[in-house]
Amino acid sequence: MQAALAEEQPAEVPCGDCNACCRTAHVIHVRTEEKRTRTRIPRKALLPALGLPPGNLVIGYDQAGCCPLLVDGRCTIYEDRPLACRTFDCRIYAAADIAADRAAIARQVERWRFAHPSQDDRDRHAAVMAAARHIRQHSECLASAAARRDPLRVAVLAIAVHEAFLQGGTRASGRESSDRAVARAVVAANEKLFGDC
Ligand code: SF4
Ligand code: SF4
């Protein structure tokens, strides 16, 4: 997930036959630079992305909450699907110990179990959960009410800032200063990944 957030590689989720995130009323962001993806999407399925610079578009969903590109249970533009779809990884809810807010995804999330082959794996998983708890307890770090209510955003931010919760990281250097450092890290990650603060 860290690599996906850094746009170094897509999330490689073993989804199997699941397509829950294509039919649970997600608005999919399509960036200006995703030119090939845009050529694959029918014009009528693309809408302006409110609050983002011109050129940013979104794919909406139908009355049943399904993406219009989902046909017979399959994504019709899978090879060229938007970056937002490539980087979505429902395992982050399980990793951060946060309940998904969509029932079909929550059912998938319950499937995941993590192996921790090394101490570093155990430490990082504990740090991700600690980061998620901290962000929820200090949700004032997130300026918008919508962001504070969004469990996906909290889980993504927990992955992004978890290193501050590793032993020997920022948390070890005094509570007040570490809280400020974590708050700054959350605000910066939120701005970078979601475009608001
Ligand atoms: S909900 Fe999870 S398992 Fe299902 S399609 Fe989305 S990412 Fe894959
Ligand atoms: S574009 Fe494809 S992968 Fe993305 S939500 Fe729509 S059907 Fe799913």
Side-chain angles (χ1 to χ4, degrees):
M1 187 63 194
Q2 281 183 291
L5 290 178
E7 300 181 15
E8 292 163 354
Q9 64 181 54
E12 289 174 10
V13 189
C15 301
D17 291 331
C18 179
N19 57 15
C21 49
C22 307
R23 52 184 176 78
T24 38
H26 279 113
V27 173
I28 309 293
H29 180 199
V30 184
R31 299 177 183 196
T32 312
E33 59 270 29
E34 295 187 76
K35 293 189 170 40
R36 184 170 169 80
T37 296
R38 293 158 81 116
T39 64
R40 299 285 317 272
I41 303 172
R43 194 84 200 135
K44 63 182 181 189
L46 287 167
L47 303 165
L50 299 178
L52 292 178
N56 284 281
L57 300 171
V58 294
I59 307 170
Y61 47 85
D62 66 16
Q63 286 185 331
C66 287
C67 171
L69 283 312
L70 188 72
V71 177
D72 295 334
R74 301 254 165 220
C75 176
T76 49
I77 60 162
Y78 187 79
E79 305 75 24
D80 298 313
R81 66 198 186 284
L83 188 66
C85 305
R86 293 174 188 277
T87 54
F88 185 85
D89 186 340
C90 70
R91 292 174 295 186
I92 63 170
Y93 289 109
D97 196 22
I98 287 178
D101 56 351
R102 288 156 163 94
I105 293 179
R107 281 194 290 278
Q108 294 304 315
V109 171
E110 286 173 10
R111 293 184 310 154
W112 301 121
R113 299 290 181 274
F114 296 98
H116 300 94
S118 71
Q119 185 62 43
D120 184 58
D121 297 318
R122 285 189 284 280
D123 291 345
R124 283 184 181 275
H125 193 174
V128 168
M129 290 192 286
R133 281 195 301 275
H134 184 90
I135 294 167
R136 298 188 112 179
Q137 285 163 4
H138 299 277
S139 60
E140 67 277 7
C141 292
L142 306 175
S144 77
R148 290 196 283 272
R149 283 196 304 270
D150 184 356
L152 177 61
R153 186 172 307 208
V154 174
V156 168
L157 292 173
I159 303 278
V161 305
H162 80 278
E163 289 185 349
F165 289 80
L166 288 170
Q167 192 176 14
T170 322
R171 302 298 296 164
S173 59
R175 183 169 179 85
E176 192 183 343
S177 62
S178 67
D179 280 354
R180 277 204 301 272
V182 170
R184 277 198 298 274
V186 171
V187 169
N190 190 40
E191 194 168 357
K192 178 176 173 213
L193 296 169
F194 297 98
D196 61 21
C197 49

